[in-house]
């Protein structure tokens, strides 16, 4: 594209940001909530609406794993650890399993990291099977429903399919013994074998305290139009290109690497969080999986998330009005991103930012320590409470069996 065309684009961007500024856009805009639907649901209090029994497992399933590798506390999959800690002291916990609505098995299945900090899911199926064999042998509650009133936190890339490559995850499918349980997972994609009906999709873990230390003054203007930091290609795992992110990230780079409206790079500066707070739009494209922590970061920092992941199921979608606060772009339309974003009227952008400024929206995306009303822990409980009372089909007839304990890959059947 000729330099004169880039000059026109820069002027258009300046005019666009000026138009928004003319209606007093800053980071200190008044908030807005959606009454009567999502705005109220986010503030629901789950206490008194459900009771959860926590199985006491040997520490080899949780605490000892964490002691071996404390890095798991700061990983994007750490929700499984903090959910356990939260429930132990939550008022919804019951010590009487006979009065429980839900049963929780605390297994830290993602806390197996490489030296580079990447999670290895290969032991997870055997670990889960071992835990289920234990609870089914020592308590009667699994056997009466085969797990239909149990929930498991499985924050792997592709949930209970337990593989980081989609092709392999699809081939494996959800661990057969979890077919009747409710899965609490970060992975969410419609019509996908790794997302079963009734699952609760949660945000990935992002350290609340760390993000809080990077807040900048409210009156700082949003002078960056589009912002993204991350990989565009994964040469190590996808040397031929086109498979990683289904080519969407590569399309962003190839079409907009020289576009002055787009501040995009593979570099991850120390000012990353501050830069997001100076941006109007933050790109949230799929990677190997459709989700990433950028979604949480964008919401927390009031940057309108531009979601590029076809058929994605977003966290707490029955409570958070994603269509109202974000922008959805089909993967095939990535080359038109500049036109799509510059065509959004300033008043629409302002409303999205007012909704993002609502504290309840930000609260729902964070696993706070200690927990706070309306945070991600409470949204999980609200999701479980909305499934009550259990349907009569949850409870099996005497002698009835549905699950096959010998199903699945041979390697999964080995002892853990």
């Amino acid at each position: 594209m000729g330099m004169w065309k880039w000059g026109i684009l820069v002027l258009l961007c300046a005019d666009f940001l000026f138009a928004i500024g003319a209606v007093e856009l800053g980071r200190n805009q008044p908030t807005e909530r959606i009454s009567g639907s999502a705005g109220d649901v986010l503030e629901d209090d789950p206490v008194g609406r459900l009771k959860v029994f926590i199985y006491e497992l040997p520490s080899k399933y949780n605490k000892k794993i964490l002691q071996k590798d404390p890095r798991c506390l700061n990983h994007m999959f750490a929700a499984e650890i903090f959910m356990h800690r939260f429930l132990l002291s939550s008022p919804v916990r019951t010590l009487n399993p006979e009065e429980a609505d839900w049963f929780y098995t605390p297994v830290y299945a993602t806390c197996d990291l490489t030296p580079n900090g990447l999670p290895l899911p290969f032991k997870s199926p055997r670990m889960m099977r071992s835990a289920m064999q234990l609870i089914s042998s020592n308590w009667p509650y699994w056997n009466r429903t085969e797990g239909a009133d149990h929930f498991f936190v499985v924050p792997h890339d592709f949930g209970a399919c337990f593989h980081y490559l989609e092709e392999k995850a699809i081939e494996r499918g959800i661990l057969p013994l979890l077919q009747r349980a409710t899965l609490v997972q970060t992975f969410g994609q419609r019509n996908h074998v790794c997302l079963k009906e009734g699952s609760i999709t949660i945000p990935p873990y992002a350290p609340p305290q760390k993000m809080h230390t990077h807040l900048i003054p409210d009156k700082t203007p949003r002078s960056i139009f589009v912002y993204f930091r991350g990989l565009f290609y994964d040469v190590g795992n996808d040397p031929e290109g086109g498979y990683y992110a289904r080519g969407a990230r590569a399309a962003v780079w190839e079409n907009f690497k020289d576009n002055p409206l787009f501040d995009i790079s593979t570099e991850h500066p120390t000012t990353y969080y501050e830069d997001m707070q100076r941006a109007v739009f933050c790109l949230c494209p799929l990677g190997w999986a459709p989700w990433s922590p950028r979604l949480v970061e964008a919401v927390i920092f009031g940057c309108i998330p531009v979601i590029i992941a076809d058929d994605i199921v977003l966290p707490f979608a029955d409570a958070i009005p994603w269509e109202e606060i974000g922008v959805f772009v089909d993967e095939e339309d990535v080359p038109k991103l500049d036109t799509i974003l510059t065509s959004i009227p300033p008043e629409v952008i302002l409303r999205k930012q007012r909704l993002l400024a609502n504290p309840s929206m930000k609260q729902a995306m964070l696993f706070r320590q200690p927990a706070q009303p309306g945070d991600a822990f409470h949204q999980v409980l609200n999701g479980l409470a909305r499934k009550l009372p259990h349907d009569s089909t949850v409870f099996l007839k005497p002698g009835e069996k549905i699950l096959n304990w010998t199903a699945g890959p041979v390697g999964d059947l080995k002892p853990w």
Side-chain angles (χ1 to χ4, degrees):
M1 182 182 286
M3 290 303 297
W4 65 274
K5 292 185 178 179
W6 286 130
I8 291 174
L9 275 175
V10 171
L11 289 173
L12 284 172
C13 181
D15 288 343
F16 184 85
L17 293 172
F18 178 79
I20 298 177
V23 282
E24 299 181 348
L25 172 66
R27 296 185 58 257
N28 58 342
Q29 282 292 298
T31 65
E32 183 174 333
R33 71 196 300 277
I34 298 178
S35 298
S37 56
D40 296 322
V41 173
L42 282 175
E43 295 167 13
D44 280 352
D45 185 357
V47 176
R49 299 169 57 209
L50 77 166
K51 293 183 178 181
V52 177
F53 178 78
I54 305 172
Y55 288 113
E56 292 189 21
L57 301 184
S59 59
K60 69 174 185 177
Y61 292 97
N62 40 64
K63 294 178 183 177
K64 281 190 177 179
I65 295 175
L66 180 58
Q67 289 170 359
K68 182 180 177 182
D69 197 340
R71 292 179 301 167
C72 297
L73 283 170
N74 297 308
H75 204 279
M76 71 178 93
F77 298 151
E80 64 182 1
I81 299 169
F82 291 111
M83 193 73 200
H84 182 203
R85 292 182 175 183
F86 162 70
L87 286 171
L88 287 172
S89 59
S90 170
V92 306
R93 182 187 183 187
T94 178
L95 300 178
N96 179 8
E98 294 296 335
E99 66 177 18
D101 300 297
W102 289 99
F103 295 81
Y104 167 64
T105 308
V107 180
Y108 299 171
T110 63
C111 188
D112 183 15
L113 307 180
T114 66
N116 293 330
L118 299 175
L120 295 172
F122 307 119
K123 297 178 183 176
S124 302
R126 290 187 290 125
M127 188 178 180
M128 279 288 189
R129 283 180 55 88
S130 174
M132 285 181 274
Q133 287 170 340
L134 181 68
I135 63 174
S136 65
S137 299
N138 290 277
W139 290 273
Y141 308 105
W142 172 276
N143 297 318
R144 70 184 185 183
T145 67
E146 289 197 326
D149 55 355
H150 289 54
F151 70 93
F152 293 80
V153 182
V154 283
H156 270 293
D157 288 293
F158 291 94
C161 287
F162 295 124
H163 208 288
Y164 54 83
L165 294 177
E166 184 173 21
E167 185 177 287
K168 296 291 186 181
I170 292 173
E171 182 182 314
R172 287 185 52 84
I174 292 173
L175 188 68
L177 292 184
L178 291 175
Q179 290 290 347
R180 283 175 59 81
T182 289
L183 303 180
V184 178
Q185 60 185 64
T186 44
F187 174 75
Q189 183 173 320
R190 288 185 293 274
N191 305 313
H192 198 286
V193 298
C194 298
L195 180 69
K196 65 189 290 288
E197 186 178 355
S199 297
I200 296 174
T201 310
I202 62 173
Y205 176 77
Q209 294 85 353
K210 179 182 177 182
M211 291 201 289
H212 182 75
T213 61
H214 287 269
L215 291 174
I216 62 178
D218 284 341
K219 293 184 180 180
T220 305
R222 291 190 179 270
S223 54
I224 300 170
F225 189 57
V226 180
Y227 187 75
F228 176 79
R229 291 294 184 272
L231 290 177
F232 298 98
Y233 301 90
D234 189 344
V235 177
N237 294 299
D238 181 27
E240 296 180 5
Y243 185 63
Y244 176 62
R246 296 197 283 260
R249 291 198 187 197
V252 169
W253 180 249
E254 295 301 331
N255 285 278
F256 304 110
K257 60 186 175 184
D258 297 320
N259 189 320
L261 303 184
F262 285 68
D263 187 345
I264 58 175
S265 172
T266 56
E267 296 179 2
H268 204 287
T270 56
T271 57
Y272 173 69
Y273 284 155
E274 289 81 357
D275 292 343
M276 291 187 87
Q277 295 169 77
R278 297 186 181 99
V280 177
F281 296 104
C282 289
L283 301 185
C284 300
L286 74 162
W288 284 112
W291 59 271
S292 84
R294 290 179 190 82
L295 190 67
V296 178
E297 296 160 350
V299 171
I300 297 304
F301 294 130
C303 185
I304 298 171
V306 180
I307 299 157
I308 307 170
D310 293 354
D311 296 320
I312 188 171
V313 176
L314 291 161
F316 309 129
D318 57 346
I320 295 178
W322 289 107
E323 294 286 347
E324 302 280 348
I325 65 176
V327 175
F328 289 79
V329 176
D330 290 343
E331 294 165 25
E332 66 178 9
D333 290 335
V334 166
K336 299 183 246 179
L337 254 179
D338 52 350
T339 302
I340 291 170
L341 297 179
T342 55
S343 299
I344 301 174
E347 60 271 18
V348 173
I349 291 176
L350 285 168
R351 182 166 188 269
K352 290 181 184 295
Q353 291 183 321
R354 287 196 300 269
L355 289 169
L356 283 168
N358 188 328
S360 65
M361 210 71 69
K362 303 176 188 295
Q363 186 81 314
M365 297 296 285
L366 293 175
F367 294 92
R368 299 273 191 185
Q369 294 98 51
Q372 298 176 11
D375 65 10
F377 297 117
H378 290 82
Q379 301 308 325
V380 172
L381 294 184
N382 282 333
L384 292 170
R386 286 194 283 272
K387 293 176 176 293
L388 298 175
H390 291 299
D391 187 85
S392 59
T393 58
V394 163
F395 299 94
L396 303 179
K397 298 174 183 177
E400 183 181 6
K401 299 289 183 183
I402 295 177
L403 300 179
N404 181 357
W405 284 79
T406 61
V410 174
D412 291 359
L413 306 182
K414 296 178 180 179
W416 176 73

